[in-house]
Amino acid sequence: MLHLNRIVLSTCLVVFALVVQICVLARLQLPGAVPDLLLLVVLGLALVYGHTGGALIGFAAGLLADLAPPADHAVGRYALVLCVIGYLAGLAKPESGQLRSATGPMLVVVAAAIGATLLYAGVGILVGDDAARQVGLGKLLFTAALYDLLLAPFTVPLIMGLARRGENDPMADSAGGGGESPSRWISTAGGVSTGRIGRMSRLRRPGRAARIGSQRGGLLARTGKNRTARIKGVKRL
């Protein structure tokens, strides 16, 4: 069940995300789907609170979106979608509570964007709404996954960090905790390994370079002495 601090934080984040999505993102007139900030909020909270909290938050967020103007679909349709997505995303919560990398959550974001679009379209077909067919389901799936994937590194780690602070989690720090910092998500999405960069920086330290140079110099000096000794020996023969 959700505690009071979880309810307050979740309500603030959901309302803020819904306002931004309706007033800003929906008016960008992007091709295909609309970036789903509300879905990303549900995912971020579900990865911290687990499947039960994710399902409850998803249902409440979806129901609020169903009632908010200019909603043009049946009430409860998006609530069902986000409830299922929140529950499934909560199952991906790590047992230790700390994410080792951002690869797993990024895959969760892509799967959630595709799954939410398919589930929303499927429920629409059951109630006689074929808008997804008119727009093109393939285009909706691609653009929904692309927009949410681009938006996720700037939103999900911050949401998870706020949720951890609300839980008084000792693993939460100024960057959001563990593998949840936005910079790490962005570097992971771009294929940059921070560990590799760290190893390269250690190799480039002046002291290490001086030691390597001195070792090379000593080795060359010993090689030169041995070569000189061999030449003198040959002369003595």
Side-chain angles (χ1 to χ4, degrees):
M1 297 298 293
L2 294 178
H3 302 292
L4 180 60
N5 56 343
R6 292 186 178 185
I7 295 175
V8 173
L9 177 62
S10 301
T11 302
C12 294
L13 291 176
V14 166
V15 172
F16 175 78
L18 184 61
V19 171
V20 172
Q21 185 164 330
I22 294 176
C23 298
V24 179
L25 299 179
R27 298 185 179 183
L28 294 179
Q29 300 297 325
L30 296 175
V34 176
D36 200 340
L37 183 60
L38 196 62
L39 174 65
L40 297 179
V41 170
V42 173
L43 291 179
L45 295 176
L47 289 173
V48 177
Y49 296 154
H51 59 278
T52 302
L56 293 175
I57 294 172
F59 178 80
L63 186 60
L64 186 61
D66 290 333
L67 297 174
D72 56 352
H73 55 268
V75 176
R77 181 176 172 183
Y78 201 50
L80 174 62
V81 172
L82 288 187
C83 180
V84 174
I85 295 299
Y87 178 83
L88 296 177
L91 295 177
K93 174 187 175 182
E95 296 181 358
S96 61
Q98 185 175 7
L99 300 174
R100 296 183 178 180
S101 67
T103 304
M106 295 295 278
L107 295 177
V108 171
V109 169
V110 175
I114 296 176
T117 305
L118 288 175
L119 187 57
Y120 186 84
V123 175
I125 294 175
L126 293 177
V127 298
D129 184 3
D130 58 348
R133 293 181 178 178
Q134 298 176 2
V135 178
L137 185 58
K139 182 179 180 180
L140 285 177
L141 291 175
F142 176 76
T143 53
L146 178 62
Y147 296 154
D148 292 347
L149 186 62
L150 293 176
L151 193 60
F154 303 98
T155 56
V156 177
L158 298 179
I159 294 169
M160 295 179 68
L162 291 175
R164 290 195 186 282
R165 291 190 185 94
E167 295 289 293
N168 295 323
D169 194 331
M171 290 185 300
D173 54 14
S174 58
E180 298 153 19
S181 62
S183 59
R184 184 166 182 176
W185 278 55
I186 296 172
S187 64
T188 302
V192 179
S193 173
T194 55
R196 184 179 301 174
I197 295 176
R199 289 194 297 270
M200 292 176 62
S201 64
R202 288 195 298 269
L203 289 175
R204 292 176 180 176
R205 291 178 181 176
R208 189 179 183 88
R211 290 196 298 270
I212 293 175
S214 61
Q215 291 175 0
R216 288 181 178 177
L219 180 61
L220 292 175
R222 288 195 297 270
T223 304
K225 292 180 180 179
N226 294 335
R227 184 178 300 173
T228 303
R230 287 198 299 270
I231 293 174
K232 290 182 178 179
V234 170
K235 288 182 178 180
R236 284 196 295 270
L237 290 174

mmCIF file of all heavy atoms in Angstrom, residues 71-101:
data_model
loop_
_atom_site.group_PDB
_atom_site.id
_atom_site.type_symbol
_atom_site.label_atom_id
_atom_site.label_comp_id
_atom_site.label_asym_id
_atom_site.label_seq_id
_atom_site.Cartn_x
_atom_site.Cartn_y
_atom_site.Cartn_z
ATOM 1 N N ALA A 71 -10.136 15.046 -23.361
ATOM 2 C CA ALA A 71 -10.204 13.601 -23.546
ATOM 3 C C ALA A 71 -11.381 13.252 -24.457
ATOM 4 O O ALA A 71 -12.492 13.747 -24.275
ATOM 5 C CB ALA A 71 -10.355 12.917 -22.194
ATOM 6 N N ASP A 72 -11.116 12.391 -25.452
ATOM 7 C CA ASP A 72 -12.142 12.020 -26.429
ATOM 8 C C ASP A 72 -12.353 10.509 -26.470
ATOM 9 O O ASP A 72 -12.768 9.961 -27.492
ATOM 10 C CB ASP A 72 -11.759 12.527 -27.821
ATOM 11 C CG ASP A 72 -10.393 12.030 -28.258
ATOM 12 O OD1 ASP A 72 -9.693 11.417 -27.427
ATOM 13 O OD2 ASP A 72 -10.026 12.245 -29.427
ATOM 14 N N HIS A 73 -12.064 9.830 -25.362
ATOM 15 C CA HIS A 73 -12.227 8.378 -25.319
ATOM 16 C C HIS A 73 -13.002 7.998 -24.061
ATOM 17 O O HIS A 73 -13.262 8.838 -23.200
ATOM 18 C CB HIS A 73 -10.855 7.685 -25.334
ATOM 19 C CG HIS A 73 -9.934 8.149 -24.247
ATOM 20 N ND1 HIS A 73 -9.034 9.180 -24.419
ATOM 21 C CD2 HIS A 73 -9.782 7.742 -22.958
ATOM 22 C CE1 HIS A 73 -8.371 9.381 -23.300
ATOM 23 N NE2 HIS A 73 -8.806 8.523 -22.390
ATOM 24 N N ALA A 74 -13.342 6.724 -23.979
ATOM 25 C CA ALA A 74 -14.144 6.250 -22.854
ATOM 26 C C ALA A 74 -13.359 6.346 -21.556
ATOM 27 O O ALA A 74 -12.145 6.083 -21.520
ATOM 28 C CB ALA A 74 -14.575 4.801 -23.107
ATOM 29 N N VAL A 75 -14.047 6.714 -20.484
ATOM 30 C CA VAL A 75 -13.421 6.825 -19.176
ATOM 31 C C VAL A 75 -13.007 5.434 -18.689
ATOM 32 O O VAL A 75 -13.796 4.483 -18.739
ATOM 33 C CB VAL A 75 -14.379 7.476 -18.166
ATOM 34 C CG1 VAL A 75 -13.757 7.503 -16.776
ATOM 35 C CG2 VAL A 75 -14.741 8.881 -18.615
ATOM 36 N N GLY A 76 -11.781 5.324 -18.233
ATOM 37 C CA GLY A 76 -11.260 4.058 -17.751
ATOM 38 C C GLY A 76 -10.359 3.354 -18.743
ATOM 39 O O GLY A 76 -9.672 2.399 -18.374
ATOM 40 N N ARG A 77 -10.328 3.822 -19.967
ATOM 41 C CA ARG A 77 -9.515 3.158 -20.999
ATOM 42 C C ARG A 77 -8.029 3.329 -20.721
ATOM 43 O O ARG A 77 -7.280 2.342 -20.695
ATOM 44 C CB ARG A 77 -9.879 3.742 -22.363
ATOM 45 C CG ARG A 77 -9.126 3.139 -23.539
ATOM 46 C CD ARG A 77 -9.645 3.732 -24.836
ATOM 47 N NE ARG A 77 -8.838 3.339 -25.982
ATOM 48 C CZ ARG A 77 -9.052 3.781 -27.223
ATOM 49 N NH1 ARG A 77 -10.063 4.608 -27.461
ATOM 50 N NH2 ARG A 77 -8.260 3.399 -28.207
ATOM 51 N N TYR A 78 -7.597 4.552 -20.515
ATOM 52 C CA TYR A 78 -6.174 4.777 -20.244
ATOM 53 C C TYR A 78 -5.816 4.371 -18.821
ATOM 54 O O TYR A 78 -4.663 4.043 -18.536
ATOM 55 C CB TYR A 78 -5.824 6.248 -20.484
ATOM 56 C CG TYR A 78 -4.353 6.478 -20.727
ATOM 57 C CD1 TYR A 78 -3.658 5.713 -21.654
ATOM 58 C CD2 TYR A 78 -3.655 7.458 -20.040
ATOM 59 C CE1 TYR A 78 -2.311 5.912 -21.878
ATOM 60 C CE2 TYR A 78 -2.303 7.670 -20.262
ATOM 61 C CZ TYR A 78 -1.641 6.891 -21.182
ATOM 62 O OH TYR A 78 -0.308 7.081 -21.397
ATOM 63 N N ALA A 79 -6.800 4.377 -17.908
ATOM 64 C CA ALA A 79 -6.546 3.900 -16.551
ATOM 65 C C ALA A 79 -6.180 2.417 -16.561
ATOM 66 O O ALA A 79 -5.284 1.984 -15.837
ATOM 67 C CB ALA A 79 -7.781 4.137 -15.682
ATOM 68 N N LEU A 80 -6.876 1.644 -17.378
ATOM 69 C CA LEU A 80 -6.550 0.223 -17.505
ATOM 70 C C LEU A 80 -5.155 0.030 -18.079
ATOM 71 O O LEU A 80 -4.386 -0.811 -17.603
ATOM 72 C CB LEU A 80 -7.589 -0.460 -18.392
ATOM 73 C CG LEU A 80 -7.317 -1.924 -18.749
ATOM 74 C CD1 LEU A 80 -7.288 -2.785 -17.489
ATOM 75 C CD2 LEU A 80 -8.353 -2.438 -19.738
ATOM 76 N N VAL A 81 -4.822 0.824 -19.091
ATOM 77 C CA VAL A 81 -3.512 0.704 -19.739
ATOM 78 C C VAL A 81 -2.386 0.996 -18.749
ATOM 79 O O VAL A 81 -1.442 0.208 -18.599
ATOM 80 C CB VAL A 81 -3.434 1.646 -20.960
ATOM 81 C CG1 VAL A 81 -2.008 1.678 -21.516
ATOM 82 C CG2 VAL A 81 -4.409 1.209 -22.031
ATOM 83 N N LEU A 82 -2.462 2.122 -18.056
ATOM 84 C CA LEU A 82 -1.384 2.498 -17.140
ATOM 85 C C LEU A 82 -1.351 1.612 -15.899
ATOM 86 O O LEU A 82 -0.287 1.428 -15.298
ATOM 87 C CB LEU A 82 -1.532 3.963 -16.729
ATOM 88 C CG LEU A 82 -1.200 4.996 -17.801
ATOM 89 C CD1 LEU A 82 -1.225 6.401 -17.219
ATOM 90 C CD2 LEU A 82 0.141 4.717 -18.447
ATOM 91 N N CYS A 83 -2.484 1.069 -15.505
ATOM 92 C CA CYS A 83 -2.500 0.141 -14.379
ATOM 93 C C CYS A 83 -1.702 -1.113 -14.718
ATOM 94 O O CYS A 83 -0.883 -1.582 -13.913
ATOM 95 C CB CYS A 83 -3.937 -0.210 -14.016
ATOM 96 S SG CYS A 83 -4.098 -1.360 -12.637
ATOM 97 N N VAL A 84 -1.925 -1.662 -15.905
ATOM 98 C CA VAL A 84 -1.193 -2.857 -16.339
ATOM 99 C C VAL A 84 0.286 -2.551 -16.522
ATOM 100 O O VAL A 84 1.159 -3.305 -16.084
ATOM 101 C CB VAL A 84 -1.804 -3.409 -17.642
ATOM 102 C CG1 VAL A 84 -0.972 -4.563 -18.187
ATOM 103 C CG2 VAL A 84 -3.239 -3.863 -17.404
ATOM 104 N N ILE A 85 0.586 -1.410 -17.155
ATOM 105 C CA ILE A 85 1.988 -1.046 -17.391
ATOM 106 C C ILE A 85 2.710 -0.788 -16.073
ATOM 107 O O ILE A 85 3.861 -1.202 -15.879
ATOM 108 C CB ILE A 85 2.063 0.203 -18.297
ATOM 109 C CG1 ILE A 85 1.507 -0.112 -19.685
ATOM 110 C CG2 ILE A 85 3.500 0.697 -18.410
ATOM 111 C CD1 ILE A 85 2.256 -1.209 -20.432
ATOM 112 N N GLY A 86 2.044 -0.107 -15.129
ATOM 113 C CA GLY A 86 2.666 0.142 -13.829
ATOM 114 C C GLY A 86 2.940 -1.137 -13.068
ATOM 115 O O GLY A 86 3.976 -1.267 -12.409
ATOM 116 N N TYR A 87 2.028 -2.086 -13.150
ATOM 117 C CA TYR A 87 2.232 -3.364 -12.459
ATOM 118 C C TYR A 87 3.411 -4.118 -13.071
ATOM 119 O O TYR A 87 4.287 -4.623 -12.341
ATOM 120 C CB TYR A 87 0.962 -4.203 -12.559
ATOM 121 C CG TYR A 87 1.093 -5.568 -11.923
ATOM 122 C CD1 TYR A 87 0.916 -5.734 -10.557
ATOM 123 C CD2 TYR A 87 1.401 -6.687 -12.691
ATOM 124 C CE1 TYR A 87 1.047 -6.982 -9.964
ATOM 125 C CE2 TYR A 87 1.538 -7.939 -12.107
ATOM 126 C CZ TYR A 87 1.355 -8.077 -10.751
ATOM 127 O OH TYR A 87 1.492 -9.306 -10.171
ATOM 128 N N LEU A 88 3.464 -4.211 -14.395
ATOM 129 C CA LEU A 88 4.544 -4.943 -15.055
ATOM 130 C C LEU A 88 5.892 -4.255 -14.848
ATOM 131 O O LEU A 88 6.921 -4.926 -14.659
ATOM 132 C CB LEU A 88 4.246 -5.086 -16.550
ATOM 133 C CG LEU A 88 3.006 -5.917 -16.908
ATOM 134 C CD1 LEU A 88 2.789 -5.928 -18.420
ATOM 135 C CD2 LEU A 88 3.154 -7.341 -16.381
ATOM 136 N N ALA A 89 5.918 -2.927 -14.888
ATOM 137 C CA ALA A 89 7.171 -2.202 -14.665
ATOM 138 C C ALA A 89 7.648 -2.379 -13.237
ATOM 139 O O ALA A 89 8.857 -2.458 -12.978
ATOM 140 C CB ALA A 89 6.987 -0.716 -14.980
ATOM 141 N N GLY A 90 6.722 -2.459 -12.282
ATOM 142 C CA GLY A 90 7.116 -2.672 -10.898
ATOM 143 C C GLY A 90 7.755 -4.023 -10.670
ATOM 144 O O GLY A 90 8.557 -4.191 -9.734
ATOM 145 N N LEU A 91 7.437 -5.004 -11.511
ATOM 146 C CA LEU A 91 8.081 -6.312 -11.404
ATOM 147 C C LEU A 91 9.559 -6.252 -11.772
ATOM 148 O O LEU A 91 10.331 -7.136 -11.393
ATOM 149 C CB LEU A 91 7.368 -7.330 -12.310
ATOM 150 C CG LEU A 91 5.922 -7.662 -11.944
ATOM 151 C CD1 LEU A 91 5.330 -8.613 -12.973
ATOM 152 C CD2 LEU A 91 5.830 -8.262 -10.550
ATOM 153 N N ALA A 92 9.954 -5.212 -12.525
ATOM 154 C CA ALA A 92 11.360 -5.038 -12.903
ATOM 155 C C ALA A 92 12.169 -4.324 -11.839
ATOM 156 O O ALA A 92 13.369 -4.081 -12.046
ATOM 157 C CB ALA A 92 11.457 -4.269 -14.221
ATOM 158 N N LYS A 93 11.554 -3.979 -10.713
ATOM 159 C CA LYS A 93 12.279 -3.323 -9.630
ATOM 160 C C LYS A 93 13.379 -4.244 -9.105
ATOM 161 O O LYS A 93 13.124 -5.409 -8.788
ATOM 162 C CB LYS A 93 11.325 -2.971 -8.496
ATOM 163 C CG LYS A 93 12.007 -2.401 -7.260
ATOM 164 C CD LYS A 93 11.032 -2.228 -6.117
ATOM 165 C CE LYS A 93 11.743 -1.771 -4.853
ATOM 166 N NZ LYS A 93 10.827 -1.632 -3.706
ATOM 167 N N PRO A 94 14.632 -3.773 -9.037
ATOM 168 C CA PRO A 94 15.719 -4.633 -8.536
ATOM 169 C C PRO A 94 15.526 -4.983 -7.076
ATOM 170 O O PRO A 94 15.040 -4.172 -6.288
ATOM 171 C CB PRO A 94 16.979 -3.782 -8.762
ATOM 172 C CG PRO A 94 16.483 -2.373 -8.789
ATOM 173 C CD PRO A 94 15.113 -2.425 -9.386
ATOM 174 N N GLU A 95 15.897 -6.210 -6.716
ATOM 175 C CA GLU A 95 15.728 -6.655 -5.334
ATOM 176 C C GLU A 95 16.581 -5.852 -4.365
ATOM 177 O O GLU A 95 16.180 -5.598 -3.232
ATOM 178 C CB GLU A 95 16.081 -8.142 -5.225
ATOM 179 C CG GLU A 95 15.157 -9.051 -6.032
ATOM 180 C CD GLU A 95 15.529 -10.505 -5.872
ATOM 181 O OE1 GLU A 95 16.524 -10.793 -5.170
ATOM 182 O OE2 GLU A 95 14.835 -11.359 -6.445
ATOM 183 N N SER A 96 17.769 -5.449 -4.802
ATOM 184 C CA SER A 96 18.644 -4.655 -3.937
ATOM 185 C C SER A 96 18.192 -3.206 -3.828
ATOM 186 O O SER A 96 18.653 -2.469 -2.964
ATOM 187 C CB SER A 96 20.085 -4.693 -4.470
ATOM 188 O OG SER A 96 20.150 -4.135 -5.771
ATOM 189 N N GLY A 97 17.276 -2.798 -4.716
ATOM 190 C CA GLY A 97 16.806 -1.421 -4.704
ATOM 191 C C GLY A 97 17.675 -0.464 -5.483
ATOM 192 O O GLY A 97 17.328 0.688 -5.649
ATOM 193 N N GLN A 98 18.822 -0.932 -6.008
ATOM 194 C CA GLN A 98 19.747 -0.071 -6.733
ATOM 195 C C GLN A 98 19.982 -0.641 -8.119
ATOM 196 O O GLN A 98 20.251 -1.833 -8.277
ATOM 197 C CB GLN A 98 21.081 0.051 -5.991
ATOM 198 C CG GLN A 98 22.045 1.037 -6.640
ATOM 199 C CD GLN A 98 23.300 1.217 -5.825
ATOM 200 O OE1 GLN A 98 23.508 0.505 -4.840
ATOM 201 N NE2 GLN A 98 24.138 2.154 -6.197
ATOM 202 N N LEU A 99 19.885 0.214 -9.134
ATOM 203 C CA LEU A 99 20.099 -0.203 -10.506
ATOM 204 C C LEU A 99 21.589 -0.206 -10.819
ATOM 205 O O LEU A 99 22.294 0.751 -10.519
ATOM 206 C CB LEU A 99 19.369 0.736 -11.469
ATOM 207 C CG LEU A 99 17.843 0.828 -11.295
ATOM 208 C CD1 LEU A 99 17.285 1.894 -12.206
ATOM 209 C CD2 LEU A 99 17.197 -0.512 -11.571
ATOM 210 N N ARG A 100 22.056 -1.296 -11.418
ATOM 211 C CA ARG A 100 23.473 -1.383 -11.765
ATOM 212 C C ARG A 100 23.806 -0.587 -13.017
ATOM 213 O O ARG A 100 24.920 -0.118 -13.171
ATOM 214 C CB ARG A 100 23.858 -2.845 -11.950
ATOM 215 C CG ARG A 100 23.733 -3.681 -10.664
ATOM 216 C CD ARG A 100 24.189 -5.103 -10.902
ATOM 217 N NE ARG A 100 24.107 -5.891 -9.677
ATOM 218 C CZ ARG A 100 24.453 -7.182 -9.596
ATOM 219 N NH1 ARG A 100 24.883 -7.821 -10.672
ATOM 220 N NH2 ARG A 100 24.335 -7.803 -8.445
ATOM 221 N N SER A 101 22.874 -0.487 -13.927
ATOM 222 C CA SER A 101 23.092 0.271 -15.151
ATOM 223 C C SER A 101 21.765 0.816 -15.632
ATOM 224 O O SER A 101 20.695 0.467 -15.113
ATOM 225 C CB SER A 101 23.740 -0.607 -16.235
ATOM 226 O OG SER A 101 22.826 -1.611 -16.657
#
